[in-house]
Amino acid sequence: MKKYLITKILLLYWFCSSIGIAYAQTTDTENYVQSINYLDSTKVSDPYKKRSQTVQYFDGLGRLKQTVNVKATPLGRDLVTPFIYDNIGRQPREYFPVPQNSSTGGAMYQQASGAVPYPVADPGNIYAGEKIFSEKQFENSPLDRIQQLTQPGTAWSTKPVQYAEGTNRQNDNVKKYETVTSWDATNKIYTSSVPQSSLFTEGQLYKYTTTDEDGNKTIEFKNGRGQTVLSRKVLSASENADTYYVYNEYEQLAYVIPPAAAIATLDTTVLDNFCYQYRYDSRYRLAEKKLPGKGWDLMVYDKQDRLILTQDAVLRTTINSFGARGCYSRSTISSIGLFIQDFSVIQPQG
């Protein structure tokens, strides 16, 4: 009986080996996760079915070390992506996948440690010595904020994107728009107005400066709640293009003031022709909005806060557009109806 069982096991092993059920020549000395996605329908694991296969290798700390996409190239060769970390576990470089000359069925490729140009060999010289990684430079603090980012490619090696953080200074001249919001009982919405602006005092805002590869600067000023107050494009040493974001007393976006309006007095004409305006209902839903040079758009919601009716200035004189949603919040009806002042009755036209 024992001899019979041994013979049966040996035959089963030979059968599995002959049909290639061992999908990948993986290792028992590395931590890995093997994933197989079949591209053809099958009920059981079948090595002859079309599939995509990926093997992810992890180091002793559970960090991704190498990814092998088995036979992922058009020629049926492996794509290998290395992952490198610095001494405190940060990932300063992100590498492109490197094509290999053959396929090992998922086995891990030899990989160099440290910040080297090619941790995994490029046997086919596909990249021809090009810089195949993006590189980050972190500040020397526990926050690990990025100070500089260099894109892949040798041509970009001397053109990094630079980041700087700080607080606003008095000479930044950031305008402080404060709204006055009141309840419109007739239309059941909150309306806001913008009185004359003042300036933020020094140190009231966070300042984030981004300098792109061509030396163009974009500066964002944010308040203590993380809301963007000003987005500034630096055009020259003496000229900026400022876009302001104005929030009401309930921390809702009430106005977007583009550069052309930011240098003018905010009267009704400037607001209507240049600015974006927003109004909200008692449940803090967007009820009305106005785009520059356009009339007010109205919005109506159902009891589940789903948008069911919209109306612009032209439809307001003729018809409404409306929609209905099913139990899964998917749109089921889209139509138009006669205008009714309180939106209580909608008469579809087809």
Side-chain angles (χ1 to χ4, degrees), residues 158-183:
T158 58
K159 295 183 177 181
V161 179
Q162 296 180 337
Y163 304 92
E165 299 185 19
T167 57
N168 69 303
R169 300 298 179 91
Q170 199 64 43
N171 58 5
D172 287 323
N173 296 322
V174 181
K175 293 182 180 181
K176 184 178 183 180
Y177 293 98
E178 294 183 290
T179 63
V180 176
T181 304
S182 58
W183 175 251

Side-chain angles (χ1 to χ4, degrees), residues 281-292:
D281 60 17
S282 59
R283 299 181 66 175
Y284 305 109
R285 301 170 301 194
L286 181 62
E288 298 183 5
K289 68 177 180 180
K290 187 179 185 304
L291 306 182

Side-chain angles (χ1 to χ4, degrees), residues 146-147 162-166 207-211:
I146 300 174
Q147 290 184 324
Q162 296 180 337
Y163 304 92
E165 299 185 19
K207 180 179 179 180
Y208 302 90
T209 304
T210 303
T211 306

Side-chain angles (χ1 to χ4, degrees), residues 190 227 246-248 250-254 280-281 284-285:
Y190 288 102
Q227 298 168 322
V246 183
Y247 304 88
N248 60 23
Y250 305 103
E251 300 183 10
Q252 300 164 319
L253 182 64
Y280 302 86
D281 60 17
Y284 305 109
R285 301 170 301 194

Side-chain angles (χ1 to χ4, degrees), residues 32 76 98 106 158 165 171 177 185 193 216 266 306 342:
Y32 68 91
V98 181
T158 58
E165 299 185 19
N171 58 5
Y177 293 98
S193 60
N216 301 314
L266 287 184
R306 299 176 299 187
D342 59 2

Side-chain angles (χ1 to χ4, degrees), residues 175-215:
K175 293 182 180 181
K176 184 178 183 180
Y177 293 98
E178 294 183 290
T179 63
V180 176
T181 304
S182 58
W183 175 251
D184 185 346
T186 303
N187 296 313
K188 298 181 179 180
I189 57 172
Y190 288 102
T191 59
S192 300
S193 60
V194 184
Q196 185 65 31
S197 65
S198 56
L199 294 177
F200 281 98
T201 58
E202 186 170 333
Q204 280 192 302
L205 300 173
Y206 295 102
K207 180 179 179 180
Y208 302 90
T209 304
T210 303
T211 306
D212 67 15
E213 293 89 346
D214 296 320

